[in-house]
mmCIF file of all heavy atoms in Angstrom:
data_model
loop_
_atom_site.group_PDB
_atom_site.id
_atom_site.type_symbol
_atom_site.label_atom_id
_atom_site.label_comp_id
_atom_site.label_asym_id
_atom_site.label_seq_id
_atom_site.Cartn_x
_atom_site.Cartn_y
_atom_site.Cartn_z
ATOM 1 N N PHE A 383 10.096 6.353 47.412
ATOM 2 C CA PHE A 383 9.820 5.290 48.380
ATOM 3 C C PHE A 383 9.765 3.925 47.704
ATOM 4 O O PHE A 383 10.200 2.918 48.262
ATOM 5 C CB PHE A 383 8.488 5.576 49.093
ATOM 6 C CG PHE A 383 8.030 4.476 50.008
ATOM 7 C CD1 PHE A 383 8.709 4.200 51.186
ATOM 8 C CD2 PHE A 383 6.919 3.709 49.699
ATOM 9 C CE1 PHE A 383 8.287 3.182 52.036
ATOM 10 C CE2 PHE A 383 6.486 2.695 50.534
ATOM 11 C CZ PHE A 383 7.171 2.430 51.712
ATOM 12 N N CYS A 384 9.245 3.894 46.493
ATOM 13 C CA CYS A 384 9.129 2.639 45.748
ATOM 14 C C CYS A 384 10.334 2.366 44.868
ATOM 15 O O CYS A 384 10.276 1.537 43.954
ATOM 16 C CB CYS A 384 7.847 2.634 44.916
ATOM 17 S SG CYS A 384 6.343 2.637 45.918
ATOM 18 N N GLY A 385 11.436 3.073 45.119
ATOM 19 C CA GLY A 385 12.678 2.783 44.408
ATOM 20 C C GLY A 385 12.916 3.626 43.195
ATOM 21 O O GLY A 385 13.822 3.333 42.405
ATOM 22 N N GLY A 386 12.117 4.685 42.990
ATOM 23 C CA GLY A 386 12.320 5.533 41.827
ATOM 24 C C GLY A 386 11.805 4.865 40.571
ATOM 25 O O GLY A 386 11.142 3.837 40.586
ATOM 26 N N VAL A 387 12.108 5.468 39.462
ATOM 27 C CA VAL A 387 11.707 4.923 38.171
ATOM 28 C C VAL A 387 12.524 3.677 37.898
ATOM 29 O O VAL A 387 13.759 3.726 37.937
ATOM 30 C CB VAL A 387 11.921 5.951 37.044
ATOM 31 C CG1 VAL A 387 11.527 5.364 35.695
ATOM 32 C CG2 VAL A 387 11.119 7.212 37.332
ATOM 33 N N PRO A 388 11.866 2.528 37.647
ATOM 34 C CA PRO A 388 12.618 1.297 37.396
ATOM 35 C C PRO A 388 13.632 1.473 36.273
ATOM 36 O O PRO A 388 13.333 2.019 35.225
ATOM 37 C CB PRO A 388 11.523 0.295 36.997
ATOM 38 C CG PRO A 388 10.289 0.822 37.639
ATOM 39 C CD PRO A 388 10.420 2.311 37.605
ATOM 40 N N SER A 389 14.846 1.038 36.517
ATOM 41 C CA SER A 389 15.910 1.185 35.524
ATOM 42 C C SER A 389 16.877 0.024 35.692
ATOM 43 O O SER A 389 16.874 -0.666 36.705
ATOM 44 C CB SER A 389 16.649 2.513 35.725
ATOM 45 O OG SER A 389 17.229 2.565 37.011
ATOM 46 N N PRO A 390 17.747 -0.208 34.709
ATOM 47 C CA PRO A 390 18.695 -1.303 34.830
ATOM 48 C C PRO A 390 19.607 -1.124 36.035
ATOM 49 O O PRO A 390 19.933 -0.008 36.429
ATOM 50 C CB PRO A 390 19.489 -1.220 33.513
ATOM 51 C CG PRO A 390 18.622 -0.433 32.581
ATOM 52 C CD PRO A 390 17.853 0.508 33.432
ATOM 53 N N GLU A 391 20.032 -2.238 36.608
ATOM 54 C CA GLU A 391 20.952 -2.172 37.730
ATOM 55 C C GLU A 391 22.282 -1.560 37.295
ATOM 56 O O GLU A 391 22.930 -0.864 38.044
ATOM 57 C CB GLU A 391 21.167 -3.581 38.290
ATOM 58 C CG GLU A 391 19.932 -4.172 38.935
ATOM 59 C CD GLU A 391 20.184 -5.572 39.425
ATOM 60 O OE1 GLU A 391 21.246 -6.132 39.102
ATOM 61 O OE2 GLU A 391 19.325 -6.118 40.129
ATOM 62 N N SER A 392 22.730 -1.857 36.090
ATOM 63 C CA SER A 392 23.981 -1.324 35.570
ATOM 64 C C SER A 392 23.748 -0.865 34.140
ATOM 65 O O SER A 392 23.157 -1.585 33.339
ATOM 66 C CB SER A 392 25.084 -2.401 35.582
ATOM 67 O OG SER A 392 25.292 -2.890 36.886
ATOM 68 N N THR A 393 24.159 0.335 33.811
ATOM 69 C CA THR A 393 23.995 0.834 32.456
ATOM 70 C C THR A 393 25.327 0.763 31.721
ATOM 71 O O THR A 393 26.396 0.871 32.311
ATOM 72 C CB THR A 393 23.491 2.287 32.473
ATOM 73 O OG1 THR A 393 24.398 3.088 33.241
ATOM 74 C CG2 THR A 393 22.104 2.360 33.083
ATOM 75 N N LEU A 394 25.237 0.595 30.420
ATOM 76 C CA LEU A 394 26.436 0.514 29.591
ATOM 77 C C LEU A 394 26.855 1.898 29.121
ATOM 78 O O LEU A 394 26.050 2.822 29.054
ATOM 79 C CB LEU A 394 26.162 -0.385 28.374
ATOM 80 C CG LEU A 394 25.697 -1.817 28.666
ATOM 81 C CD1 LEU A 394 25.438 -2.550 27.353
ATOM 82 C CD2 LEU A 394 26.725 -2.560 29.498
#
Side-chain angles (χ1 to χ4, degrees):
F383 174 69
C384 294
V387 179
S389 60
E391 293 178 350
S392 302
T393 56
L394 303 178

